[in-house]
Amino acid sequence: MSDKTKKTIYDIAVRAGASPSTVSAALNGTWKQRRIAQATAERIIAIANDDGYSANLQARALRTSRSGLVALLMPEYNRFFSNIAQTFSREVRARNQCPVIISTGRNPEEEKATVADLTAWSIDALFFVGTVAPEDLSRQCTAADIPHVFIDQPCAIAPSVITDSRNGARILTQEISRSMMKLTTNLGDSPRDTIYFIGGDRLLPSTRNRVAGFSDEMIAQFGRIDPDQILAATYDMEVATQTITDLYQRLGGLPRGLFINSDSVFEGVLRFLATLPEDELTACAFGCFDYEPFGQLLRFPVHMIRQRHKMLVQRAFALMETTSPPVIEYVQPEMYRAEQITGQATVMPIQPRGPKVD
Amino acid sequence: MSDKTKKTIYDIAVRAGASPSTVSAALNGTWKQRRIAQATAERIIAIANDDGYSANLQARALRTSRSGLVALLMPEYNRFFSNIAQTFSREVRARNQCPVIISTGRNPEEEKATVADLTAWSIDALFFVGTVAPEDLSRQCTAADIPHVFIDQPCAIAPSVITDSRNGARILTQEISRSMMKLTTNLGDSPRDTIYFIGGDRLLPSTRNRVAGFSDEMIAQFGRIDPDQILAATYDMEVATQTITDLYQRLGGLPRGLFINSDSVFEGVLRFLATLPEDELTACAFGCFDYEPFGQLLRFPVHMIRQRHKMLVQRAFALMETTSPPVIEYVQPEMYRAEQITGQATVMPIQPRGPKVD
DNA sequence: AAGGTGTGCAACATCGATTGTGCAAATCCC
DNA sequence: GGGATTTGCACAATCGATGTTGCACACCTT
């Protein structure tokens, strides 16, 4: 309990009058298979506890080539990813392993380097969320023989769990247009009299799917969609502010509906909206494909779609533990429908429906 | 580049016609001191690159008893802590080490267990942010001979970097009362005609300091403070909603000013505020001791104090790398002063001033 | 040419835990 | 009571990298 240098099984062995291998077996719980007398095992365990022994995990990992580490790679610490990280931690701990969370700042080079680092640590499994180049990373893992799963971004050659963005976007669009109808009895066909999609990166599957879902619903409702309605170049906040400002200029006011593609975009858009008078704001129907609790408390109602991070992570573990072929599993998001009057939202589950793309 | 099993220095040694120790020296960069011919070293390095060699870090750590891992323990993934994590990652990487971030959910038992785990991994250094029982953890680290620093929560027996909460709270209170004066020309002495402090855990130094700063300013401005003005029992969101609801009932309306002690409390309070008519909201002066960007975009202005996470982390590294005695270093927060008209905020640095407690 | 000084590298022990193997002593069986 | 089992444990190899020691050879010196 008191010495300076860290205790090893050899120290325990000396104190117990046993051999290191016996100590190891006793502390591992493998003593039964190794035919160690129960009395001996218990004596050793008692001594180890008393000495405050804890195994050198490097040595163990070196010998067994299993580290007990499970890593999660994420691009940054925003609300969604942090939630993922939180549930990930819990799940890993529940499996008696050690969660390691690393953010790579959306930098493909850093992603690769980090994966290399992690394989050098002989990590047991690797979860990716929102990575930029899934296939490369998957190949790296396969080469190092590391089980891995992708969350929130599909990979062609590895199991993935993703939100059914297309369906979610369709439902959200539906909800926006429903609110829009309530606000305006007769829609003209000026460029303002429709819904605009703002924010996101069209190179990424998630944005593509959301755009697809948005388009599905636009065509279902209005029979057509104009490419100009989709302003999706980046998730950057400043750009979002600029984009909405430009749109406002161009249309001579807000459109009747706005599909906001993430919380960062939401924040960027709000910076501009905050400068507008209230009546302009309440004349537009807002929807955000992300959940932001403060979004419920603004001067105008905002419908929101929330990804079910818990489910995503849990399904990812399930996939990792069972499947080998690259499957893509879809998780339906939840809808937070804003009530016009109270400002409060009601949660609404979404049923899977319709065709899927990844 | 292609084999199944991972390459080791022994494999490289065979291919290079050299001994493992020579390979090790070559790849380490210690070949000069070990009098290896430059030609040999270069040949070995070339072969290693070609083979896609990467060292087994467990083996290295076992041998050297230094892992190259630097860990950050945090309670949960909220905005502030996530920001800390982000800068922490960057700083660790800049030092060519590997950042490991673990959340322990404010559970002292889990904190202890995690530290034990990390010492078993012979981690090189440990950063704590917002932990519950700093002294115990510090003792654990000292026993395992691990350098460590506390961020955002002082520890009596280890170096700490914390925000000067008392001064920040004083400034924020000042700002709230300034806004209050603008809203109401004559303050009566009904219980409503003052500022209330809501949220936080008085057992924690940060809350104690904020209460102290709040009290300082109340006494400076009004000559007195009533214990009833301080409603600080927990950071819990639901409780915050309940507390503000009760307060509203008790006072028969909102108070003239409200000091909100964190973003979680902010969110809880807002759930209630969202149900109130706008004129009641604009008649109250709000301040929040935390930064929440959406807070700038509500139906009423909110002054905010922002902790400088970057500075906190950087100073923590500096302390770790130099000091040995337990020093407490203070970092001044920033003030986001909300403008009544535009809803926008201006950032204002805060000068250190006045007495400090732990 | 003998002794001294460098140079370039291989051998080997080591970090701490795991695990296959072997060998006494105890127990069993007829 | 002697061979066959079983019980209980110690020995030693091993994981991969590091770093100390020491050996062979070349070169220099006088």
Side-chain angles (χ1 to χ4, degrees), chain B residues 9-10 21 24 28 34 53 56 60 63:
Chain B
I9 49 169
Y10 298 89
S21 58
S24 170
N28 266 300
R34 311 232 350 231
Y53 168 81
N56 181 321
R60 174 177 295 164
R63 187 59 231 268

Side-chain angles (χ1 to χ4, degrees), chain B residues 132-204:
Chain B
V132 183
E135 281 75 18
D136 286 351
L137 296 174
S138 175
R139 267 186 286 271
Q140 242 183 306
C141 289
T142 309
D145 204 31
I146 297 182
H148 56 288
V149 187
F150 289 84
I151 299 177
D152 190 43
Q153 165 125 10
C155 174
I157 55 180
S160 322
V161 183
I162 63 173
T163 294
D164 189 346
S165 292
R166 183 168 190 165
N167 195 31
R170 202 176 52 74
I171 303 285
L172 181 60
T173 309
Q174 205 171 75
E175 211 59 48
I176 296 172
S177 74
R178 194 171 297 167
S179 298
M180 203 164 73
M181 300 307 183
K182 277 189 203 155
L183 292 173
T184 328
T185 39
N186 56 337
L187 282 175
D189 56 354
S190 104
R192 283 182 58 187
D193 294 333
T194 186
I195 308 175
Y196 282 76
F197 184 108
I198 184 168
D201 182 349
R202 253 165 152 167
L203 297 177
L204 298 176

Side-chain angles (χ1 to χ4, degrees), chain B residues 250-307:
Chain B
R250 178 152 67 83
L251 300 181
L254 286 177
R256 300 284 182 209
L258 202 57
F259 184 119
I260 299 163
N261 193 18
S262 85
D263 62 351
S264 59
V265 176
F266 194 9
E267 196 177 324
V269 167
L270 272 182
R271 286 192 191 289
F272 172 73
L273 295 185
T275 65
L276 298 182
E278 184 152 353
D279 57 342
E280 290 197 43
L281 295 171
T282 47
C284 174
F286 296 94
C288 176
F289 201 109
D290 224 333
Y291 177 73
E292 163 59 61
F294 281 71
Q296 295 179 13
L297 306 164
L298 298 168
R299 287 177 280 171
F300 45 91
V302 181
H303 303 301
M304 289 183 278
I305 286 283
R306 180 178 208 169
Q307 299 201 56

Side-chain angles (χ1 to χ4, degrees), chain A residues 163-219:
Chain A
T163 294
D164 188 346
S165 291
R166 182 167 190 167
N167 195 32
R170 203 176 51 75
I171 303 284
L172 180 60
T173 309
Q174 205 172 74
E175 211 59 49
I176 297 173
S177 74
R178 193 172 297 168
S179 297
M180 203 164 71
M181 299 309 182
K182 276 190 204 154
L183 292 174
T184 328
T185 40
N186 56 337
L187 280 175
D189 58 352
S190 104
R192 283 183 58 187
D193 293 333
T194 186
I195 308 176
Y196 283 75
F197 183 108
I198 183 167
D201 182 348
R202 250 165 154 168
L203 297 176
L204 298 177
S206 52
T207 296
R208 273 212 307 278
N209 283 325
R210 292 173 197 176
V211 168
F214 174 72
S215 306
D216 289 349
E217 189 61 25
M218 287 306 292
I219 287 174

